[in-house]
Amino acid sequence: MASTIPDPGAARAEVTPPVSDRPARIEAHGIDHIPDSERHGHPRELFSVWAAANVNYLSLVIGGALVLMGLSLWQAVAVTVVGNLFWLLTGFLATSGPAAGAPSEVITRALYGVIGNRVNNAIGGWLVSVCYFALNLAAAATAAFALVEKAGITATTPVKVAVIVVIAALTLAISVYGHALIIKLYLPITLALAGAFTVVALSVFRHADFSYAPAEPLTGVDLWAVIIAGTTMVASGPLSYTTSADFSRYLPRTASPRAITGWTALGAFVPSIVVGSLGAFAATAVDMTDPQNALQKILPGWFVPVFLLALVLGTISINALTAYSAGLALQAVGLRVRRTVSVLFDGTVAVAATLYGVLVSNFLDTVSNALQVIVVLIGPLMAVYATDIVLRRNRYDGRALSDETPGSPFWFTGGVNWAGALSLMAGVASAALCVNTVYTGPVATALGGIDLSMPVGMIVAAGLYVLIGRRAVAATSL
């Protein structure tokens, strides 16, 4: 349970946000501790934050991919539901934000130590976020190119460069202004995207085959291999958000952990289920190997530009969160720069990668393959973090976590909490033995291609942290 230290200003702050966290002002805080006097808001605000980020093109593509992999319609829907249940873990991690008054990038010093956590943030935070930013930006750019063509403008190379830069600029503007603007904008964005995808749903349902099954249904090991691979693919979305405390840390420390978990998880779960299932239904009517163009064939002509704009808006929403967290991760790596500078730097790197990938080479394919391998990392990262919250009973000393000197209680041994580091490495190694993505591990080979990397990595990491992490947790708990 979260600490119940009284916060006399909490109720008042919930109504009137402090000057430091208002939509029209650039957010002043980065990875520093948020004092009780500046805490405000209600957990229900988290619903639209996560909903806007998950009414998106990627969920639609994944839903269609499940059918293309050989599943029947209802098997694909079931896999979509099960994989998205992992949003509960994302919601659970968000409870640590108000408890510490710090973002995830700082809280994880309790897991890995001050120095160890810099490595964690460099790889599991910054690098993964920038890769996702580049991939999502490329997807948004493709939709925007089509929108430009419909406006009668030829998508030449200079036009494509301009489109990518404009989309990135809009995204980074939200990230730079930060928390308060995200809270303010994401409710209307959620409503706008929900309206657009309602029209898509009506069009899809008119053409969908509700009894669809592949001509040669999968059975036995082949069926289970696809079901588990599909579940892992869906679950990789929620598992990648070990940064959910970034968006809850301004809430009063007395905010209900159940409400924080529930509103975060529900905000992401509902649209992910709806849009992912919509992709599966669409795959029974059109060829979802090229979803953007295929769906245009069954959408009303007048709505196609709106649909393309919705794809761009949804991607901006998810990338604004990604860029925001990437900026905090870069600060937590140890670079002494303002959050605004780190966000803009991350955006510049992602734009450069996108331009190179879209206009020059297959770089984005390389990034995509890298992210498939990184699935062996994100599951154990989530598992260790969630286990620490349970063992610590969500009691974090935010001010002590901000201390990066050797005198910090979170310095541990040489700046590393070896209990957390070893648990993570054991989880990653175990997952790597079971993976079947761009390479096949020995366990997956022995099981006929069944990829158990996600559950095995998470179970090993969490189990080992329970066994060897208790002493470190007890020594640094409130």
Side-chain angles (χ1 to χ4, degrees):
M1 295 292 291
S3 173
T4 55
I5 297 174
D7 179 16
R12 181 175 63 256
E14 183 174 325
V15 178
T16 307
V19 173
S20 60
D21 190 46
R22 292 185 180 175
R25 295 177 63 95
I26 293 177
E27 183 181 352
H29 290 291
I31 60 171
D32 52 311
H33 178 257
I34 309 297
D36 287 339
S37 61
E38 296 186 34
R39 307 287 193 90
H40 64 96
H42 189 279
R44 62 175 171 267
E45 295 172 344
L46 297 172
F47 178 88
S48 58
V49 170
W50 292 98
N54 285 282
V55 183
N56 62 47
Y57 186 47
L58 183 59
S59 295
L60 197 69
V61 171
I62 290 175
L66 294 174
V67 172
L68 293 173
M69 290 164 66
L71 297 178
S72 71
L73 172 61
W74 296 108
Q75 287 171 339
V77 171
V79 166
T80 299
V81 172
V82 173
N84 279 303
L85 287 174
F86 283 87
W87 284 113
L88 285 169
L89 274 178
T90 308
F92 182 60
L93 264 57
T95 63
S96 62
S104 297
E105 292 79 5
V106 170
I107 295 170
T108 45
R109 288 173 183 164
L111 285 61
Y112 306 114
V114 172
I115 302 300
N117 194 50
R118 290 179 182 174
V119 177
N120 166 54
N121 277 308
I123 299 173
W126 184 81
L127 181 60
V128 173
S129 294
V130 169
C131 286
Y132 271 118
F133 191 114
L135 285 173
N136 285 326
L137 181 56
T142 302
F145 296 159
L147 192 60
V148 165
E149 292 278 2
K150 286 190 175 296
I153 302 172
T154 303
T156 60
T157 297
V159 169
K160 289 181 177 180
V161 171
V163 166
I164 291 172
V165 170
V166 168
I167 294 173
L170 292 172
T171 302
L172 294 174
I174 297 173
S175 301
V176 164
Y177 273 84
H179 175 266
L181 185 60
I182 289 171
I183 296 295
K184 183 76 172 180
L185 281 182
Y186 276 43
L187 178 56
I189 289 176
T190 298
L191 296 175
L193 292 175
F197 274 83
T198 297
V199 177
V200 175
L202 293 174
S203 299
V204 168
F205 289 152
R206 282 201 297 268
H207 294 84
D209 178 0
F210 291 90
S211 60
Y212 171 84
E216 297 181 8
L218 297 171
T219 58
V221 173
D222 290 339
L223 175 61
W224 280 107
V226 172
I227 287 176
I228 294 173
T231 302
T232 300
M233 184 166 63
V234 175
S236 65
L239 290 177
S240 68
Y241 280 106
T242 55
T243 56
S244 53
D246 296 0
F247 309 101
S248 63
R249 74 191 195 276
Y250 277 90
L251 292 173
R253 68 172 67 244
T254 52
S256 165
R258 286 187 179 181
I260 294 168
T261 301
W263 285 115
T264 298
L266 193 65
F269 179 81
V270 171
S272 295
I273 291 295
V274 172
V275 179
S277 298
L278 190 58
F281 282 112
T284 69
V286 297
D287 182 5
M288 287 292 281
T289 55
D290 184 7
Q292 180 182 302
N293 290 321
L295 286 171
Q296 290 183 41
K297 297 176 182 177
I298 60 175
L299 293 174
W302 63 267
F303 181 72
V304 170
V306 179
F307 171 63
L308 294 172
L309 190 59
L311 296 183
V312 175
L313 181 59
T315 305
I316 287 175
S317 300
I318 193 170
N319 260 358
L321 299 190
T322 302
Y324 182 85
S325 291
L328 295 174
L330 198 59
Q331 286 187 310
V333 166
L335 296 184
R336 304 300 179 184
V337 295
R338 292 177 62 85
R339 185 190 60 81
T340 52
V341 175
S342 62
V343 167
L344 292 173
F345 174 79
D346 296 337
T348 301
V349 173
V351 168
T354 304
L355 289 172
Y356 185 76
V358 171
L359 304 176
V360 181
S361 78
N362 63 346
F363 173 78
L364 292 176
D365 288 338
T366 302
V367 172
S368 181
N369 289 336
L371 288 174
Q372 289 182 54
V373 176
I374 286 173
V375 74
V376 306
L377 172 65
I378 58 178
L381 279 172
M382 179 74 79
V384 175
Y385 194 166
T387 304
D388 189 79
I389 293 174
V390 173
L391 293 179
R392 205 175 292 273
R393 291 185 291 174
N394 205 21
R395 295 176 178 174
Y396 292 95
D397 186 339
R399 295 190 182 280
L401 283 165
S402 297
D403 182 0
E404 298 183 65
T405 68
S408 166
F410 298 100
W411 188 259
F412 296 102
T413 304
V416 179
N417 178 4
W418 287 104
L422 290 174
S423 298
L424 177 61
M425 288 188 285
V428 170
S430 301
L433 295 174
C434 303
V435 76
N436 184 16
T437 53
V438 294
Y439 77 95
T440 303
V443 175
T445 300
L447 294 176
I450 295 179
D451 184 340
L452 295 176
S453 58
M454 182 182 69
V456 168
M458 295 182 73
I459 291 170
V460 169
L464 187 58
Y465 194 63
V466 168
L467 291 176
I468 68 175
R470 289 182 178 274
R471 182 177 298 178
V473 168
T476 55
S477 294
L478 286 172

